[in-house]
Amino acid sequence: MGILFAVIISITFGLAFNSVQSNTLCAAWEQAFGVDTAVLGGFITLLTLVIIFGGVQRIAKVSGTVVPMMAIAYIILVLVIMAINFREIPGVFKLIVSNAFGWGPLAGGSLGATLMQGFKRGLFSNEAGMGSAPNAAATADVSHPVKQGLIQTLAVFTDTILICSCTAFIILFSHTSWDGVTGGIQLAQQTLENEVGSFGSIFIAIAILLFAFSSLIGNYYYGEANIRFITEKKSILQIYRLMVAGMVFFGAVTSLDLVWAMADITMAFMVFFNLIAIVLLGR
């Protein structure tokens, strides 16, 4: 069962999730700077190959410093926008609750779909219940395991309740009517532009470059650790590295819906097997 889970997590993170990160990154830069997704995707793919074949530690050190700073800057930007639109905050909370649990969605038969979408995106955000976060937590050097356990629960709160809510508020404060086509990161950029001008779109593009690229490397590391658990053959690891790079480019040039569909399917397999393990370990 451990080997089966190792195979699934290697596929989910190294291949499916990395295609989502690449798609998001390229879409953000296309929106902000008009960069062709295939061109940027090719560059990101080459950079990914260079790093995973020889420099994971270096990128980890840079990410460990820069990414938290960008996250704090993002939260500050959202707090400024919330302060500007403080009169609308009660209405935004009402809109969220009514559309998630109100009679309208229930009568329209969309309540289940709304909740399912929330489950899927929340799961992608914080990985709670997937069994992936312990791969990172197990490498931590702490005086007692409970300390790392508390950090892991705090990560769930930070990812989903804090960061994702920040993005939701940006979108909901905007009075721009949705065109039914723009989605994903470009929707957040479009609405942020309405609040702070073109700077908003550029800021998100730069932040996403750091967030998504560090995630690409982190996702790959999950896969590598589990490949090494399965086999010590270096040829298998080299093939996996090439597959990871291939999915980074594939994600850059394919549709948003397709990459999310792949991520949702592979996530579901991870959760299924991890929940079985949790039940068996429950005693």
Side-chain angles (χ1 to χ4, degrees):
M1 193 169 175
I3 291 175
L4 177 61
F5 188 78
V7 171
I8 295 170
I9 191 174
S10 299
I11 293 171
T12 301
F13 277 80
L15 307 183
F17 280 11
N18 270 354
S19 67
V20 173
Q21 298 291 357
S22 175
N23 184 280
T24 302
L25 194 164
C26 292
W29 277 66
E30 182 183 41
Q31 174 82 2
F33 305 110
V35 179
D36 184 81
T37 54
V39 173
L40 183 58
F43 175 74
I44 295 298
T45 301
L46 289 174
L47 195 57
T48 301
L49 279 169
V50 169
I51 291 171
I52 65 179
F53 272 97
V56 172
Q57 276 84 12
R58 288 197 296 273
I59 195 70
K61 289 179 180 178
V62 174
S63 299
T65 303
V66 176
V67 171
M69 291 172 59
M70 291 302 297
I72 292 169
Y74 184 60
I75 293 171
I76 291 172
L77 178 62
V78 175
L79 288 174
V80 170
I81 293 173
M82 290 181 70
I84 295 171
N85 298 277
F86 74 96
R87 297 182 187 277
E88 298 182 39
I89 293 176
V92 165
F93 277 105
K94 182 180 177 182
L95 187 66
I96 292 171
V97 174
S98 63
N99 277 271
F101 305 108
W103 287 108
L106 184 63
S110 62
L111 181 61
T114 302
L115 290 174
M116 184 60 68
Q117 184 75 352
F119 291 151
K120 290 189 293 186
R121 295 300 165 261
L123 193 61
F124 181 83
S125 163
N126 60 54
E127 306 171 32
M130 283 174 59
S132 53
N135 283 261
T139 66
D141 182 17
V142 290
S143 59
H144 195 282
V146 170
K147 289 184 177 180
Q148 188 60 29
L150 292 172
I151 289 294
Q152 293 305 114
T153 57
L154 182 64
V156 172
F157 171 82
T158 305
D159 277 348
T160 304
I161 305 301
L162 197 59
I163 301 295
C164 290
S165 294
C166 284
T167 308
F169 286 138
I170 289 174
I171 294 170
L172 294 174
F173 280 137
S174 174
H175 297 291
T176 305
S177 57
W178 185 47
D179 58 14
V181 178
T182 306
I185 192 67
Q186 291 180 332
L187 178 60
Q189 286 177 289
Q190 190 179 84
T191 51
L192 192 57
E193 278 186 21
N194 295 334
E195 296 292 332
V196 296
S198 59
F199 160 78
S201 182
I202 294 170
F203 174 82
I204 286 188
I206 294 171
I208 286 297
L209 175 65
L210 296 168
F211 293 153
F213 194 76
S214 62
S215 294
L216 285 174
I217 304 307
N219 290 344
Y220 160 75
Y221 184 75
Y222 273 17
E224 180 184 302
N226 283 273
I227 292 292
R228 291 181 185 277
F229 172 75
I230 299 167
T231 177
E232 290 296 324
K233 291 182 179 179
K234 290 187 177 181
S235 59
I236 300 297
L237 182 59
Q238 307 293 34
I239 292 170
Y240 180 71
R241 287 170 172 172
L242 293 173
M243 290 172 65
V244 169
M247 288 302 291
V248 168
F249 184 76
F250 174 78
V253 298
T254 195
S255 69
L256 179 72
D257 291 339
L258 179 57
V259 293
W260 273 115
M262 291 191 302
D264 290 339
I265 291 168
T266 54
M267 267 196 297
F269 278 111
M270 277 191 65
V271 172
F272 178 75
F273 288 107
N274 189 55
L275 290 180
I276 292 174
I278 288 175
V279 170
L280 294 175
L281 292 167
R283 294 187 300 276

